[in-house]
Amino acid sequence: MEQETALENQKEAEIKWYENMNLEDAEVFIQSNMLASARSVIAVGYYLKNIRDRKLYLEAGYENIWDYARERFGFSVSTASRYMKRNDRFSVGGNSP
């Protein structure tokens, strides 16, 4: 019983590590997550373009990239288009993840 309680307390402490971080740590996490987020947007755009350009959406039974993106990921035409445009603009060579 004591061992179970100690394990529960340890798990609770691990889950809440973020509640007591200092300013410097918070800023590091913000910077890191912003960079990861930007990279993810660029990568999503690349993979959508790759599917579009190679017409891979046909393999899944879709007529175009827009229907594919909407059904598979819930992206509107404008959202899918924005991802691809961000890849055009911000990726290395305009076409890389």
Side-chain angles (χ1 to χ4, degrees):
M1 184 73 169
E2 281 183 39
Q3 191 175 15
E4 286 178 15
T5 303
L7 238 135
E8 289 173 10
N9 290 341
Q10 181 182 358
K11 285 182 181 178
E12 187 173 314
E14 290 173 3
I15 291 172
K16 297 189 179 196
W17 63 267
Y18 53 85
E19 290 182 352
N20 294 318
M21 74 174 69
N22 62 35
L23 177 62
E24 183 179 347
D25 289 342
E27 289 176 345
V28 167
F29 283 117
I30 289 169
Q31 289 288 341
S32 174
N33 282 286
M34 285 174 50
L35 181 59
S37 178
R39 287 180 178 159
S40 292
V41 167
I42 292 167
V44 168
Y46 171 78
Y47 296 117
L48 286 171
K49 286 171 34 177
N50 186 282
I51 292 167
R52 178 199 63 199
D53 295 348
R54 297 177 58 214
K55 298 184 180 186
L56 297 176
Y57 51 81
L58 295 172
E59 294 177 19
Y62 296 95
E63 293 183 23
N64 56 59
I65 187 63
W66 314 117
D67 292 343
Y68 172 82
R70 183 183 64 248
E71 293 297 318
R72 290 293 183 125
F73 305 106
F75 294 163
S76 65
V77 170
S78 66
T79 297
S81 179
R82 274 195 306 270
Y83 276 115
M84 290 188 273
K85 286 178 184 174
R86 294 226 172 24
N87 180 269
D88 290 340
R89 183 169 179 191
F90 296 111
S91 67
V92 175
N95 195 32
S96 63

